[in-house]
Amino acid sequence: MIRAVIFDWGGTLTPWRTMDFRAGWRAYAELRHAGDAQRAAELADALAAADIARWTGIREDARAFTVADVLADAAAEHHDDEHAHALAAYRDYWVAATHTDPEAAPMLRALREQGLRLGILSSTMWPGEWHDDWLRRDGVLDLFDGRTWSSDLPYTKPHPTAFRAAMESVGVEDPAACVFVGDRPYDDISGAKSVGMRAVLVPHSEIPVDQQVPVDVTPDAVIQRLAELPDVVRGW
């Protein structure tokens, strides 16, 4: 019997939107080195390279990381007022990619009406409070019983400990009683099925080449719209 549904965030609960991650770091660097275009460009390049290296590293050991880790890798000082202003510019750049799918709220309420507990497990370097702010803005924060951000964990998806942390957050111990919904075959589908969860694929995202991992895995269901999910889960 299914007791909980846990969702990936970006590209699953939010519609996929192509963003230039380098532009986000340029916004940061241009405030850190206002008036010095060369230093700003050098910092932006270093941050972009560190960002890529961290995400690529997940393919090897699923080690989680944070914005602070990327800044440290790029040897960027991040303990002063200039950093705070620059980080706000970086965050503002990404807001366009954070809006919740309009179908999410009614879908989540339908699942709750079925008596299911709801959670999020997201591979993210961003602080959990950023995500909570965006979910609150869109009126869906209180629909979740648990929210698990890899920036608070030692490992991210597809590592089993990340999925177990998400299960703990919603108060369900048996993975067979959980469904995971995500957009990435490797991180989401293979990761969930490896711990014994059912897995639903939402195949809408363009996964960056440096983050792709070939994997032979078959989801338990594939949906094209979030609105389809309550009927799928009801059938289990």
Side-chain angles (χ1 to χ4, degrees):
M1 180 177 179
I2 302 302
R3 296 179 53 206
V5 181
I6 301 171
F7 295 85
D8 168 58
W9 179 70
T12 300
L13 288 173
T14 69
W16 177 255
R17 177 169 180 158
T18 301
M19 300 283 287
D20 179 3
F21 75 97
R22 292 176 179 81
W25 288 124
R26 284 196 296 271
Y28 177 92
E30 286 168 1
L31 277 183
R32 285 308 308 267
H33 297 303
D36 191 332
Q38 181 174 344
R39 289 188 68 192
E42 290 172 351
L43 177 57
D45 288 344
L47 288 165
D51 192 326
I52 291 174
R54 284 283 182 170
W55 283 112
T56 302
I58 288 176
R59 299 184 305 185
E60 304 299 325
D61 58 12
R63 182 73 61 178
F65 63 98
T66 66
V67 171
D69 290 325
V70 173
L71 290 163
D73 292 349
E77 178 61 44
H78 54 281
H79 300 290
D80 55 25
D81 290 341
E82 287 183 357
H83 162 70
H85 293 304
L87 190 61
Y90 169 83
R91 173 178 168 166
D92 287 346
Y93 170 78
W94 282 103
V95 165
T98 68
H99 294 282
T100 306
D101 190 317
E103 292 190 355
M107 175 272 296
L108 294 168
R109 293 189 183 99
L111 292 174
R112 290 181 70 89
E113 289 172 1
Q114 293 181 32
L116 299 171
R117 300 184 68 78
L118 305 178
I120 296 176
L121 171 59
S122 176
S123 295
T124 178
M125 66 177 175
W126 298 335
E129 56 264 28
W130 290 13
H131 294 277
D132 285 353
D133 285 347
W134 295 324
L135 293 170
R136 186 180 297 108
R137 174 202 63 199
D138 296 341
V140 297
L141 180 67
D142 293 339
L143 296 175
F144 294 100
D145 300 286
R147 301 176 307 283
T148 305
W149 313 108
S150 69
S151 51
D152 297 322
L153 302 175
Y155 295 98
T156 188
K157 298 177 293 182
H159 200 281
T161 61
F163 288 91
R164 294 185 188 120
M167 289 171 53
E168 182 178 358
S169 77
V170 298
V172 177
E173 297 182 358
D174 181 6
C178 296
V179 175
F180 192 83
V181 183
D183 64 315
R184 296 187 174 214
Y186 174 64
D187 309 61
D188 297 327
I189 306 306
S190 71
K193 291 182 72 68
S194 73
V195 298
M197 294 180 176
R198 294 186 192 241
V200 177
L201 178 66
V202 186
H204 293 166
S205 298
E206 298 176 9
I207 302 170
V209 173
D210 55 285
Q211 297 177 31
Q212 293 179 13
V213 179
V215 60
D216 184 13
V217 64
T218 301
D220 295 284
V222 178
I223 60 175
Q224 300 300 325
R225 296 175 53 190
L226 292 179
E228 300 171 29
L229 186 63
D231 285 342
V232 170
V233 175
R234 189 179 294 110
W236 290 335

